[in-house]
Amino acid sequence: MSTRQLHLGAILTGVGTDPQEWLDPQIPGTASIDIDWYKQQARAAEAAKFDFVFIVDSPYITPDSAPHFLNRLEPLTLLSALAGATDKIGLVATLTTSYTEPFNVARQFASLDQISHGRAGWNVVTTGLEGAAGNFGREQHIDHGERYRRAHEHVAVVQGLWDSYEDDAFPRDRANKRFLDPAKQHRLDHRGEFFSVTGPLNISRSEQGQPVIFQAGVSESGRGLAARIAEGIFAGVDNFEDAREYYADIKRRAAEAGRDPNQVLVFPGISPIIADTDEEAQALLLQRTGELDLKKALVQLGRPFNYHDFSQYDLDAPFPELGELGSNGYRGHAEKIKRVAREQGLTLRQTALRFARPFTGFAGSAQTVANEIERWFKDGAVDGFNIHVGAPAAFARFTDEVVPLLRERGLFRDEYQGRTLRDHLELEVPVNRHSVKAAEVA
Ligand SMILES: Cc1cc2nc3c(=O)[nH]c(=O)nc-3n(C[C@H](O)[C@H](O)[C@H](O)COP(=O)(O)O)c2cc1C
């Protein structure tokens, strides 16, 4: 057995975050609001011993949003139901720091962590959709820089609240009628740029101490936040060289922030296409690309640019000059689209098709896909992968054909070694800050 273990997450997106996944007859049209569908998929991922399931989220839609975005379950409610339907697998939900209060967020995730016996994770995002402002009483979306300052403070407050109770705060001593040891309950008394929070939080820590923090930093500020707070990072990369660059950059930044880089795990999201032979898989990939609807691809291309209307341009002219557009949206993604179009001299049509395609570097026979996963893992590009789960038969090809090959090579677990998400990811349990202080004084 190799000592370093690969980690696997399963991204559950019901009817899909691209315009056409829902057309697959294997996926029920109601998948994104059907708890039984999610249970089935989470159980399949757990049977394959995946580390976690992951639920994406955002708080703004238009009629042009992708099918899953239009009509879906709220992630923490959903994961609380999945906690009861599964036993070991981690449960990771996205929630924005831009339009929430840390007290509520701390309480919600601490509850999920208790309900699931230490399996919760929080994917911290700052929200790139400018229209979200209108759903939270604001005229304008919070500026990109401010969103990140707010995110740093928000997460610090949440983590402070999670430590409100030391692990032995509740003697629950009936004989002496002593439920709480008040010396082990701590107020936060936070006063910062964005939040004033007194505390304490009204829920104690779970078996894993605190929920695991995930992040998906793409832009400069995004990477900075990831390196400082994230224990798991969902990397938006779509080729090996970029992945390796991103991986090295994040690990370096984490070390510079005084953290152990091995406690910061990087997971690109991939959509494997597995067939009996490489040729068949490539044919499937071509077929899917050929089926892409250009009108929808243009809408999808506009999303990181605040749903910019790309239908106004000549499709076969060079990708348009957009100035600062996108810098207050999904900045990292918008910058990447502009850069790739410029560097590769793409037309608008080519750019739309290039970015509408799911990331499918992993198309081939099970053997080929396993080889590629091993290469990325061993050659310093990833600590694991977040696998897009669509139709059950396609996911089964991954769990039944690729995962056994990874096991044979000693890369992936046969069985869960522990019960919590931190156990699976081999992440340290954060010691309660007040217990640390008490130990230092003693
Ligand atoms: C793999 C991956 C998953 C993401 N999931 C979400 C999500 O669920 N919700 C969301 O609002 N943003 C999500 N994002 C977007 C990022 O969190 C980030 O907000 C975005 O890249 C814009 O920020 P930045 O460009 O400033 O880094 C995701 C990004 C990546 C790469």
Side-chain angles (χ1 to χ4, degrees), residues 54 56-58 94 123-127 144 148 216-219 222 234-236 329-333:
F54 168 48
V56 300
D57 199 47
S58 48
T94 296
N123 178 35
V124 176
V125 300
T126 58
T127 296
H144 191 266
Y148 276 96
V218 180
S219 65
F234 299 135
Y330 286 106
R331 178 185 292 188
H333 194 195

Side-chain angles (χ1 to χ4, degrees), residues 113-231:
D113 216 22
Q114 288 286 10
I115 291 170
S116 63
H117 300 286
R119 295 189 278 141
W122 173 24
N123 178 35
V124 176
V125 300
T126 58
T127 296
L129 298 170
E130 298 183 40
N135 292 332
F136 298 93
R138 289 183 66 103
E139 294 274 307
Q140 285 205 327
H141 192 31
I142 308 170
D143 165 75
H144 191 266
E146 184 176 327
R147 290 207 301 275
Y148 276 96
R149 287 206 314 282
R150 183 181 161 106
H152 280 273
E153 188 180 332
H154 193 300
V155 174
V157 172
V158 167
Q159 290 179 317
L161 287 169
W162 281 337
D163 277 355
S164 291
Y165 288 113
E166 293 183 55
D167 292 343
D168 53 354
F170 291 98
R172 300 184 182 95
D173 176 353
R174 289 199 171 92
N176 294 302
K177 297 189 178 153
R178 205 159 175 264
F179 188 73
L180 168 73
D181 174 355
K184 305 224 158 155
Q185 184 203 59
H186 301 275
R187 282 166 50 144
L188 187 65
D189 286 326
H190 172 87
R191 300 284 174 272
E193 181 184 357
F194 300 99
F195 306 107
S196 291
V197 181
T198 308
L201 190 67
N202 48 0
I203 182 164
S204 58
R205 292 162 37 116
S206 78
E207 288 93 317
Q208 67 168 352
Q210 294 192 353
V212 177
I213 301 284
F214 290 81
Q215 214 269 342
V218 180
S219 65
E220 180 63 28
S221 327
R223 290 181 187 214
L225 179 66
R228 197 158 279 281
I229 63 154
E231 301 173 283

Side-chain angles (χ1 to χ4, degrees), residues 27-57:
I27 301 177
T30 53
S32 296
I33 48 166
D34 180 353
I35 189 58
D36 294 328
W37 175 256
Y38 283 101
K39 283 183 184 170
Q40 186 188 323
Q41 294 196 312
R43 285 176 178 146
E46 185 168 72
K49 318 295 176 198
F50 271 46
D51 295 70
F52 57 84
V53 294
F54 168 48
I55 310 294
V56 300
D57 199 47

